[in-house]
Amino acid sequence: MSRWRDRNQLIAVAVIGLVVMFGAPQVLQLFTIINLTTAIALAVLALSLGLIWGFGGILCFGQTTFFGLGAYAYAVAAQNWGDTTSAVIVAVLVAAAVAAILGYFMFWGRISDVYLGVITLTVTLILFNLMRRTSGPEYKIGTALLGGFNGTSAPPLTVPWSGAMLFPTQLFYVAMGALILAYFGCIWLTRTHFGRVCVSIRENETRAELLGYDTRVYKLGLFAIGGGIAGLAGVLIANGIGRVTPDLFNLSYAAQVIIWVIVGGRGTLIGPILGAFGIFWLTSYLGTQQVVNANMILGLVLIGFVLLLPKGVVPTVVDLVGRRRTRRAGRSARRRARSGSRRSAQPAE
């Protein structure tokens, strides 16, 4: 029964995603579609952290490292080659490769979880300050100027092998399609042998090692995959904004990714996506008023969820539904038992 219920839930998620993908441009204004494309890019970033933290137990405070590197790699490759399709592939591979290199030194060095978070956060802050100091004409890769604080332009995506530029509505289709594919790809990954081993490492790394698994290899593989997904999010944000700046590495993004996963629910994949959309909407709404500070509200939201809903929204809702279903099943069983006892107590004619 649980397998059928799980399959129905995945079908429902796919249907809702496709309805949003094809229905939103028909009912929303162009400005809203552009903002929604940015929110989708951030949701893909949240999904990358939700995968490695929720299913591998790897708390990476610097997931924006691969997010920003993916955006810069796309912009530089697209400016030099004029082909955005190959630039997307390069961006994902660069982000995954940097994650693999960084992960190798951390996992083979047996770095503890606390130090792993500090190291990844330090790397993204180093890149933030480094890219801000590349404003001179000598700081370029090929023909692409890095631009320092002002960043560099990101050529818009084009239709593969045709060169036709995608308009904002078409870019929304691409972004939503990428989010759906990334989500179901992560679902598939977590249900493979590789994914189940990663979950076992999250639960008890020592026991997984005693069973004969080299936990370093599995954590490194998951970390690299998460980095590649974050690089894909960087490609989407570069196209949504139209420019790549060092702000993609800053502390604000790094902290918000953690908040998205905590709010949505660690240990799920749909939770970080919903958390990213919800916080993005809340931030956009708070930006339209001048009464309260948006950062203070985000801090209060984080504190509230940690204290009141430590599991996050999605796991809490699932637990509530499960308890209600269990109580309903218990009441039905008791009614059947009472009905059976009454029938057995009646004298035979």
Side-chain angles (χ1 to χ4, degrees):
M1 179 64 72
S2 61
R3 182 179 299 178
W4 283 95
R5 186 181 302 117
D6 184 60
R7 191 186 72 168
N8 291 335
Q9 290 173 352
L10 290 178
I11 293 175
V13 171
V15 170
I16 293 173
L18 291 174
V19 169
V20 172
M21 177 177 175
F22 293 104
Q26 312 302 323
V27 298
L28 299 178
Q29 297 179 353
L30 181 60
F31 177 77
T32 305
I33 291 297
I34 294 174
N35 281 340
L36 194 55
T37 303
T38 303
I40 293 171
L42 300 179
V44 175
L45 175 60
L47 176 65
S48 70
L49 182 61
L51 175 67
I52 66 172
W53 186 19
F55 291 86
I58 306 170
L59 177 54
C60 176
F61 281 107
Q63 196 69 4
T64 46
T65 297
F66 320 115
F67 179 59
L69 284 175
Y72 268 99
Y74 167 79
V76 170
Q79 289 183 48
N80 279 281
W81 300 341
D83 178 22
T84 59
T85 303
S86 57
V88 172
I89 299 174
V90 167
V92 174
L93 292 178
V94 165
V98 172
I101 295 171
L102 182 61
Y104 173 80
F105 289 104
M106 293 190 300
F107 300 134
W108 260 257
R110 299 291 185 178
I111 300 297
S112 65
D113 294 339
V114 174
Y115 288 107
L116 187 147
V118 172
I119 289 173
T120 53
L121 180 61
T122 302
V123 170
T124 194
L125 292 179
I126 289 173
L127 289 173
F128 172 66
N129 288 284
L130 177 64
M131 298 308 296
R132 286 167 60 96
R133 289 168 171 78
T134 57
S135 58
E138 66 275 14
Y139 295 104
K140 63 179 181 179
I141 301 177
T143 60
L145 292 171
L146 296 179
F149 181 83
N150 293 320
T152 184
S153 62
L157 277 174
T158 57
V159 178
W161 306 292
S162 72
M165 185 182 68
L166 295 181
F167 292 102
T169 301
Q170 297 169 320
L171 180 61
F172 169 81
Y173 290 137
V174 172
M176 194 66 195
L179 175 60
I180 294 173
L181 291 176
Y183 171 75
F184 281 99
C186 291
I187 289 288
W188 170 82
L189 180 67
T190 57
R191 298 183 179 187
T192 61
H193 176 73
F194 174 84
R196 291 193 294 269
V197 173
C198 289
V199 172
S200 70
I201 293 171
R202 178 198 67 187
E203 296 299 320
N204 193 318
E205 185 172 351
T206 303
R207 183 174 297 177
E209 288 183 335
L210 292 175
L211 291 173
Y213 295 107
D214 190 344
T215 59
R216 299 171 301 179
V217 174
Y218 286 91
K219 292 171 73 173
L220 177 62
L222 189 67
F223 194 65
I225 293 172
I229 297 174
L232 176 61
V235 172
L236 297 177
I237 198 72
N239 280 271
I241 298 176
R243 195 164 190 84
V244 179
T245 67
D247 288 337
L248 297 180
F249 296 107
N250 68 15
L251 188 59
S252 175
Y253 273 123
Q256 286 187 60
V257 182
I258 303 294
I259 296 175
W260 299 335
V261 178
I262 291 176
V263 170
R266 189 170 75 94
T268 70
L269 292 173
I270 194 65
I273 294 174
L274 297 178
F277 279 119
I279 298 298
F280 181 83
W281 173 84
L282 178 62
T283 305
S284 299
Y285 172 76
L286 293 174
T288 61
Q289 51 82 41
Q290 302 295 329
V291 179
V292 293
N293 184 271
N295 292 325
M296 183 184 69
I297 296 298
L298 290 178
L300 292 176
V301 168
L302 175 60
I303 294 173
F305 271 91
V306 169
L307 295 178
L308 303 178
L309 294 177
K311 292 183 178 181
V313 172
V314 173
T316 301
V317 172
V318 170
D319 289 346
L320 290 174
V321 172
R323 286 198 293 267
R324 180 173 297 180
R325 186 179 291 115
T326 301
R327 288 197 297 267
R328 188 182 300 116
R331 288 195 296 267
S332 299
R334 288 193 294 270
R335 284 197 297 267
R336 288 195 299 269
R338 288 195 296 269
S339 177
S341 62
R342 285 196 297 268
R343 285 197 298 267
S344 61
Q346 291 178 355
E349 295 183 357

Short mmCIF file of all heavy atoms in Angstrom, two decimals, residues 131-161:
data_model
loop_
_atom_site.label_atom_id
_atom_site.label_comp_id
_atom_site.label_asym_id
_atom_site.label_seq_id
_atom_site.Cartn_x
_atom_site.Cartn_y
_atom_site.Cartn_z
N MET A 131 36.61 37.66 -6.49
CA MET A 131 35.97 38.12 -7.72
C MET A 131 35.67 39.62 -7.67
O MET A 131 35.58 40.27 -8.72
CB MET A 131 34.67 37.34 -7.96
CG MET A 131 34.87 35.85 -8.16
SD MET A 131 36.09 35.45 -9.44
CE MET A 131 35.29 36.11 -10.89
N ARG A 132 35.54 40.18 -6.50
CA ARG A 132 35.33 41.63 -6.40
C ARG A 132 36.58 42.42 -6.78
O ARG A 132 36.49 43.61 -7.05
CB ARG A 132 34.92 41.99 -4.96
CG ARG A 132 33.49 41.60 -4.62
CD ARG A 132 33.27 41.68 -3.12
NE ARG A 132 33.51 43.01 -2.61
CZ ARG A 132 32.56 43.93 -2.40
NH1 ARG A 132 31.29 43.66 -2.71
NH2 ARG A 132 32.87 45.11 -1.90
N ARG A 133 37.73 41.77 -6.80
CA ARG A 133 38.99 42.44 -7.10
C ARG A 133 39.48 42.15 -8.51
O ARG A 133 40.67 42.22 -8.78
CB ARG A 133 40.04 42.01 -6.07
CG ARG A 133 39.79 42.60 -4.69
CD ARG A 133 40.65 41.94 -3.62
NE ARG A 133 40.55 42.65 -2.35
CZ ARG A 133 39.55 42.55 -1.51
NH1 ARG A 133 38.53 41.75 -1.80
NH2 ARG A 133 39.53 43.22 -0.36
N THR A 134 38.58 41.83 -9.40
CA THR A 134 38.95 41.52 -10.79
C THR A 134 38.38 42.57 -11.74
O THR A 134 37.87 42.23 -12.81
CB THR A 134 38.45 40.12 -11.18
OG1 THR A 134 37.01 40.06 -10.99
CG2 THR A 134 39.09 39.03 -10.32
N SER A 135 38.47 43.82 -11.34
CA SER A 135 37.84 44.87 -12.15
C SER A 135 38.72 45.41 -13.27
O SER A 135 38.24 46.12 -14.14
CB SER A 135 37.41 46.04 -11.24
OG SER A 135 38.53 46.54 -10.53
N GLY A 136 39.99 45.11 -13.26
CA GLY A 136 40.87 45.65 -14.29
C GLY A 136 40.75 44.92 -15.61
O GLY A 136 40.24 43.78 -15.68
N PRO A 137 41.22 45.53 -16.70
CA PRO A 137 41.14 44.89 -18.02
C PRO A 137 42.02 43.65 -18.13
O PRO A 137 41.83 42.84 -19.04
CB PRO A 137 41.62 45.99 -18.98
CG PRO A 137 42.44 46.90 -18.13
CD PRO A 137 41.84 46.86 -16.77
N GLU A 138 42.97 43.50 -17.23
CA GLU A 138 43.84 42.32 -17.29
C GLU A 138 43.17 41.07 -16.73
O GLU A 138 43.65 39.95 -16.95
CB GLU A 138 45.14 42.58 -16.52
CG GLU A 138 44.99 42.76 -15.01
CD GLU A 138 44.64 44.18 -14.60
OE1 GLU A 138 44.24 44.98 -15.49
OE2 GLU A 138 44.76 44.49 -13.41
N TYR A 139 42.06 41.27 -16.00
CA TYR A 139 41.36 40.12 -15.43
C TYR A 139 40.31 39.64 -16.43
O TYR A 139 39.16 40.10 -16.43
CB TYR A 139 40.70 40.50 -14.10
CG TYR A 139 41.68 40.86 -13.02
CD1 TYR A 139 41.89 42.18 -12.66
CD2 TYR A 139 42.42 39.87 -12.38
CE1 TYR A 139 42.79 42.52 -11.66
CE2 TYR A 139 43.33 40.20 -11.38
CZ TYR A 139 43.51 41.52 -11.04
OH TYR A 139 44.41 41.84 -10.05
N LYS A 140 40.71 38.74 -17.27
CA LYS A 140 39.80 38.19 -18.26
C LYS A 140 40.19 36.76 -18.57
O LYS A 140 41.34 36.35 -18.38
CB LYS A 140 39.79 39.04 -19.53
CG LYS A 140 41.12 39.10 -20.25
CD LYS A 140 41.01 39.95 -21.49
CE LYS A 140 42.35 40.01 -22.25
NZ LYS A 140 42.24 40.84 -23.48
N ILE A 141 39.20 36.02 -19.04
CA ILE A 141 39.42 34.64 -19.48
C ILE A 141 39.02 34.59 -20.95
O ILE A 141 37.84 34.70 -21.28
CB ILE A 141 38.60 33.64 -18.65
CG1 ILE A 141 38.97 33.74 -17.18
CG2 ILE A 141 38.83 32.21 -19.16
CD1 ILE A 141 38.15 32.84 -16.27
N GLY A 142 40.00 34.47 -21.81
CA GLY A 142 39.72 34.60 -23.24
C GLY A 142 39.35 36.03 -23.56
O GLY A 142 40.12 36.96 -23.31
N THR A 143 38.15 36.20 -24.08
CA THR A 143 37.65 37.54 -24.37
C THR A 143 36.67 38.05 -23.33
O THR A 143 36.15 39.16 -23.45
CB THR A 143 36.95 37.55 -25.75
OG1 THR A 143 35.86 36.62 -25.74
CG2 THR A 143 37.93 37.16 -26.85
N ALA A 144 36.41 37.24 -22.31
CA ALA A 144 35.40 37.60 -21.30
C ALA A 144 36.05 38.32 -20.13
O ALA A 144 36.88 37.74 -19.42
CB ALA A 144 34.68 36.35 -20.81
N LEU A 145 35.71 39.57 -19.94
CA LEU A 145 36.17 40.34 -18.79
C LEU A 145 35.38 39.93 -17.56
O LEU A 145 34.14 39.84 -17.60
CB LEU A 145 36.01 41.84 -19.04
CG LEU A 145 36.91 42.44 -20.13
CD1 LEU A 145 36.49 43.88 -20.41
CD2 LEU A 145 38.38 42.39 -19.70
N LEU A 146 36.06 39.70 -16.43
CA LEU A 146 35.37 39.28 -15.21
C LEU A 146 34.61 40.43 -14.56
O LEU A 146 33.60 40.21 -13.90
CB LEU A 146 36.38 38.68 -14.23
CG LEU A 146 37.06 37.39 -14.72
CD1 LEU A 146 38.05 36.88 -13.69
CD2 LEU A 146 36.04 36.32 -15.08
N GLY A 147 35.10 41.65 -14.71
CA GLY A 147 34.31 42.82 -14.33
C GLY A 147 34.33 43.21 -12.88
O GLY A 147 33.71 44.21 -12.50
N GLY A 148 35.01 42.46 -12.02
CA GLY A 148 35.08 42.85 -10.62
C GLY A 148 33.72 42.93 -9.96
O GLY A 148 32.88 42.04 -10.11
N PHE A 149 33.51 44.02 -9.20
CA PHE A 149 32.26 44.20 -8.46
C PHE A 149 31.05 44.23 -9.38
O PHE A 149 29.97 43.75 -9.02
CB PHE A 149 32.33 45.50 -7.65
CG PHE A 149 31.11 45.76 -6.83
CD1 PHE A 149 30.96 45.17 -5.59
CD2 PHE A 149 30.11 46.58 -7.30
CE1 PHE A 149 29.82 45.40 -4.83
CE2 PHE A 149 28.97 46.82 -6.55
CZ PHE A 149 28.82 46.23 -5.31
N ASN A 150 31.21 44.78 -10.58
CA ASN A 150 30.08 44.89 -11.51
C ASN A 150 29.77 43.58 -12.22
O ASN A 150 28.71 43.44 -12.84
CB ASN A 150 30.37 45.97 -12.55
CG ASN A 150 30.43 47.35 -11.93
OD1 ASN A 150 29.63 47.67 -11.05
ND2 ASN A 150 31.39 48.16 -12.35
N GLY A 151 30.68 42.63 -12.17
CA GLY A 151 30.43 41.34 -12.79
C GLY A 151 30.56 41.36 -14.30
O GLY A 151 31.08 42.31 -14.90
N THR A 152 30.06 40.31 -14.91
CA THR A 152 30.13 40.16 -16.36
C THR A 152 28.77 39.76 -16.89
O THR A 152 27.95 39.19 -16.17
CB THR A 152 31.19 39.11 -16.75
OG1 THR A 152 31.31 39.05 -18.17
CG2 THR A 152 30.81 37.72 -16.23
N SER A 153 28.52 40.07 -18.15
CA SER A 153 27.22 39.76 -18.74
C SER A 153 27.10 38.28 -19.02
O SER A 153 28.08 37.59 -19.31
CB SER A 153 27.02 40.56 -20.04
OG SER A 153 28.01 40.19 -20.98
N ALA A 154 25.87 37.78 -18.93
CA ALA A 154 25.58 36.38 -19.21
C ALA A 154 24.75 36.31 -20.49
O ALA A 154 23.59 36.73 -20.49
CB ALA A 154 24.82 35.74 -18.06
N PRO A 155 25.31 35.83 -21.59
CA PRO A 155 24.54 35.72 -22.84
C PRO A 155 23.30 34.86 -22.63
O PRO A 155 23.36 33.82 -21.96
CB PRO A 155 25.53 35.06 -23.81
CG PRO A 155 26.88 35.40 -23.27
CD PRO A 155 26.71 35.41 -21.78
N PRO A 156 22.16 35.27 -23.18
CA PRO A 156 20.93 34.49 -22.99
C PRO A 156 21.01 33.14 -23.68
O PRO A 156 21.71 32.98 -24.68
CB PRO A 156 19.85 35.38 -23.61
CG PRO A 156 20.58 36.23 -24.58
CD PRO A 156 21.94 36.47 -24.00
N LEU A 157 20.31 32.19 -23.11
CA LEU A 157 20.27 30.85 -23.70
C LEU A 157 19.69 30.90 -25.11
O LEU A 157 18.80 31.71 -25.40
CB LEU A 157 19.41 29.92 -22.84
CG LEU A 157 20.07 29.26 -21.63
CD1 LEU A 157 19.03 28.50 -20.82
CD2 LEU A 157 21.19 28.33 -22.06
N THR A 158 20.18 30.02 -25.93
CA THR A 158 19.68 29.92 -27.30
C THR A 158 19.20 28.49 -27.55
O THR A 158 19.56 27.56 -26.82
CB THR A 158 20.77 30.27 -28.32
OG1 THR A 158 21.90 29.40 -28.12
CG2 THR A 158 21.22 31.71 -28.17
N VAL A 159 18.39 28.33 -28.57
CA VAL A 159 17.94 27.00 -28.96
C VAL A 159 19.14 26.23 -29.49
O VAL A 159 19.90 26.74 -30.32
CB VAL A 159 16.83 27.09 -30.04
CG1 VAL A 159 16.39 25.69 -30.47
CG2 VAL A 159 15.65 27.90 -29.51
N PRO A 160 19.38 25.00 -29.00
CA PRO A 160 20.56 24.25 -29.45
C PRO A 160 20.64 24.12 -30.97
O PRO A 160 19.65 23.82 -31.63
CB PRO A 160 20.37 22.88 -28.78
CG PRO A 160 19.51 23.15 -27.58
CD PRO A 160 18.59 24.27 -28.00
N TRP A 161 21.83 24.39 -31.49
CA TRP A 161 22.18 24.22 -32.90
C TRP A 161 21.41 25.15 -33.85
O TRP A 161 21.42 24.96 -35.04
CB TRP A 161 21.97 22.78 -33.36
CG TRP A 161 22.70 21.82 -32.48
CD1 TRP A 161 24.05 21.68 -32.36
CD2 TRP A 161 22.11 20.88 -31.57
NE1 TRP A 161 24.34 20.70 -31.43
CE2 TRP A 161 23.18 20.19 -30.93
CE3 TRP A 161 20.80 20.55 -31.23
CZ2 TRP A 161 22.97 19.21 -29.98
CZ3 TRP A 161 20.59 19.57 -30.29
CH2 TRP A 161 21.66 18.92 -29.67
#
